[in-house]
Structures are given as structure tokens and as C-alpha cells.
Amino acid sequence: PQSTVMILGFLRLACRRALTERLGDLGKKIHTGRSRNDQVAVDVRLHIKSEILSLEKEVCALSAALCSFGAKAGAVPLVGRTHLQPAMPSTVEMWATGHAEMILDQLENFEGAYRLADLNPLGSAAGYGVPLPLERSRTTELLGFSRTIHNCFGASMARGECEASLLSALAQLMCVLSRLAEDMIIFSMPEFAYFRLPREYCTGSSIMPQKYNPDVLELVRSKTATVLGLQVAALSQLHAMPGGYNRDLQDSKGLYMKGLSVTRTTLRIMAKMVEGISIDEDKLRAGFIPGVFATDAALRQVAAGVPWREAYHDVRDHLERLESEDADAAVLAKRHIGATNGLDWRMYA
């Protein structure tokens, strides 16, 4: 980050020299009414806007990979779990598209971070304006910002806010990706063996020849902790900072740039992992035990007029009746919107 600022400084110097050579004294006036403070603030905002657009494409790519995996697997039954315990019938496609939808929902946070960055601080100078007739709205138009930050003091204090906002969105996305990674780790364990991870993204052991470890997915959990720490660091920088520019703010650039790098790398590697996983349908079906059908059985009694509490106790006390329940029939029976037989694939197109 510091080298980036130095490069930008050299570029400004080179531009000033080039303009001076071509225009004479007029070229020397390019810095008029500007401060390093508002110029760096503009650079950061332009960089954040560009990075968010690239990151959103990678979010969509991972969601598309999950939807493709779900469509390929189809309505193959999968035991839905609560507290990690068998709960109710679900499907592989519901699992995959559920994660895809959660990931896509994170775009709302990035849109918020984008809107915050899409404001022009140029012309605020050191934070108090200058006694010159600047046309700040003109630079807003030329640089493609949505509007000018009106208050010059507010524009100066906004340094660091964009970085913190972006890191908050990155941290929340990484938490969602970490949950996906954890599911993939659990479902690929030999005790489950629902999923087979692509071997090219697993590692062996230095001593145990049989091992194929989900190291990439484990690192997703670790990288999530890294981005959470960066978010806390950015907010901690701001919480006790007095009004006006303070040198602490130079460190905020390094935080958000690292957060971006970690998150974008995670999105790309997770997309490749998802593209390479496969399912073991026999193992998936073998995971169904009678208790998984208990809620559905109780609700069938309710639909026939039995009070819920009676149906609940009757099914709980006679789980052996559910031995003959069919997983395929159970997932097909749920037709309302968003249920196992009510997924609207147009949402994921």
C-alpha cells in the first residue's frame, strides 16, 4: 500500500512535469486548490469502486458454480440437519442453491460499500476548502462519481470510512464462505462420504500415505479469521480518531487491500473446489434414519385433523412406524415456494 501511494505520487509528479513542458507556467498550476489528503482520498475511492465491480463478478461465478452443481445433482435426497443432528429430508440441490443464494445476498453489502465510495471528496483540500472558485461538481462529473461530498470537513473525516465499510462487507462474505467450506469438510468425511472433493485441491500427509486432506477448505476458515481481524483493525483505527485528517489513516489502505486480496483469492479457489466435487448417491440415501421423517409424519396427522401436540407425541413414541418411509417421496411432497420441490430455478438462471 505504501509503495502504491509512492507510485501515485511519482505519477502526479511526472504528469505535472509533462504538462509544464507542454504548457509552461499553466502546467505548474495543476496542484492548485488540492491537497495530498483529498487526492489520496479520491484515489482510494476510485480503486475501491473498481475492485468491488471485479469482486462482484467472482461472487456471481461461485454462485453459478454452486447452482450448476445443484442442477447436476438434482433432487437426490440429503439429510437436512440442525445442531448437526439428523432433522428433516432435504436435497443436494437445495443445499447447493441455498448456499448460492446466501452468497448472492452479500452483493447488497457491496452495493452499499460502492455507494459510499462513489462520492467525490476532491476540492476539500486539507478538509476546510480553499479561497478559490473551484468547480467541484465538474471534477465529480469527469471522474464518474455520483455526487460531490458537500461538506469539506466531512469529506476529510470520511477518510477510512470507505475502507472500513468495504472490510465489513468482505468479512461478512468470508463468514458465509467459511460456512460453505465447513459443510464441504463435514460431508466429505469418511463417516458421511456424501461428497467427494477434487483431489487436485486436497493434500497428502508426510507420513500417512492414505490421506487426502481438505486443506484448502480449512484455510478458508483461517482466512475468514484474517479478514475479521482486518475489519476490527479498521474500525479500531477510527473509533478514537479526532476530527480532521490524522496520519493513522495511512494504515487503513493496507488493511482493505489485504482484505480484498484474501477474499478474491478465496472466491476463485472455492469456485474451483465446487466445480470439482461429486456426490455418492448411495451414501446420501444411507444417511436417512426413521427419525428424519418424524416431522413430516406428524404434519400428515395434523393435515388429517389430529391436534399438533397429540400428533407430536404419537410419532415420537412410535418412530418404528417410519422404517418404510421413502426419502424421494418426502422431498417431492414439499411443493411450496423454496421447499425441496418448490425451488424456482429461474432465480438462479
Side-chain angles (χ1 to χ4, degrees):
Q2 301 310 314
S3 61
T4 302
V5 173
M6 291 178 63
I7 291 170
L8 290 171
F10 286 131
L11 286 173
R12 293 193 194 96
L13 180 61
C15 289
R16 187 170 67 216
R17 286 177 176 172
L19 288 171
T20 301
E21 290 174 2
R22 292 181 61 183
L23 304 174
D25 286 346
L26 183 60
K28 298 178 182 179
K29 297 181 179 181
I30 189 173
H31 191 72
T32 303
R34 300 179 183 178
S35 164
R36 182 171 56 235
N37 187 27
D38 63 345
Q39 291 184 83
V40 170
V42 166
D43 293 338
V44 167
R45 288 169 181 268
L46 291 173
H47 183 257
I48 286 176
K49 287 172 61 180
S50 175
E51 287 292 313
I52 287 176
L53 293 177
S54 296
L55 180 141
E56 287 182 338
K57 293 179 182 177
E58 290 161 348
V59 167
C60 291
L62 174 55
S63 293
L66 281 162
C67 289
S68 178
F69 168 66
K72 183 178 178 181
V76 172
L78 165 72
V79 174
R81 295 175 182 273
T82 61
H83 310 278
L84 277 179
Q85 304 301 309
M88 295 179 69
S90 182
T91 63
V92 175
E93 66 179 355
M94 188 178 211
W95 175 88
T97 54
H99 276 289
E101 198 166 328
M102 272 196 72
I103 292 168
L104 282 176
D105 285 345
Q106 303 310 304
L107 293 177
E108 295 292 335
N109 295 325
F110 289 105
E111 288 299 305
Y114 186 94
R115 287 193 295 272
L116 186 62
D118 197 24
L119 307 177
N120 181 22
L122 196 60
S124 60
Y128 303 96
V130 293
L132 296 169
L134 301 182
E135 293 187 26
R136 296 185 64 209
S137 60
R138 180 59 175 155
T139 60
T140 295
E141 178 186 347
L142 292 172
L143 292 171
F145 286 106
S146 63
R147 68 172 175 85
T148 306
I149 299 178
H150 174 71
N151 187 293
C152 292
F153 181 55
S156 175
M157 286 198 297
R159 285 283 301 271
E161 293 289 343
C162 291
E163 295 92 312
S165 174
L166 176 57
L167 278 166
S168 294
L170 293 171
Q172 193 157 330
L173 172 61
M174 286 296 292
C175 286
V176 173
L177 299 182
S178 185
R179 294 182 67 183
L180 170 61
E182 184 68 5
D183 267 7
M184 292 169 68
I185 290 171
I186 291 171
F187 289 162
S188 63
M189 292 169 56
E191 291 80 0
F192 287 88
Y194 297 163
F195 296 166
R196 289 184 290 266
L197 301 178
R199 286 194 170 187
E200 60 268 31
Y201 295 106
C202 297
T203 61
S205 164
S206 61
I207 191 172
M208 295 173 283
Q210 83 283 8
K211 294 297 292 294
Y212 285 94
N213 301 315
D215 288 24
V216 169
L217 298 172
E218 292 167 354
L219 287 172
V220 171
R221 296 187 311 214
S222 174
K223 298 303 182 184
T224 298
T226 296
V227 177
L228 286 169
L230 294 169
Q231 176 201 21
V232 171
L235 293 172
S236 297
Q237 281 183 353
L238 295 174
H239 88 283
M241 196 176 294
Y245 175 74
N246 298 273
R247 194 59 182 268
D248 317 42
L249 289 167
Q250 75 173 27
D251 287 339
S252 65
K253 293 184 289 295
L255 299 175
Y256 95 83
M257 287 181 180
K258 183 174 182 181
L260 272 168
S261 176
V262 169
T263 305
R264 293 188 63 185
T265 299
T266 302
L267 285 165
R268 291 193 290 267
I269 195 67
M270 284 296 286
K272 292 184 180 296
M273 286 287 290
V274 170
E275 288 167 0
I277 60 177
S278 58
I279 66 171
D280 187 323
E281 188 169 342
D282 291 336
K283 293 288 187 180
L284 285 159
R285 292 183 180 279
F288 281 81
I289 58 175
V292 175
F293 303 101
T295 303
D296 289 0
L299 288 171
R300 286 199 299 268
Q301 290 192 31
V302 170
V306 178
W308 166 250
R309 188 52 53 188
E310 291 182 21
Y312 180 98
H313 287 290
D314 179 65
V315 172
R316 184 193 62 186
D317 296 339
H318 300 92
L319 291 178
E320 71 280 357
R321 298 176 186 166
L322 306 178
E323 293 283 354
S324 61
E325 291 283 333
D326 180 72
D328 293 289
V331 298
L332 289 174
K334 298 173 184 176
R335 298 182 176 87
H336 64 74
I337 185 170
T340 47
N341 194 24
L343 295 177
D344 185 353
W345 279 91
R346 291 172 299 180
M347 285 189 59
Y348 310 118

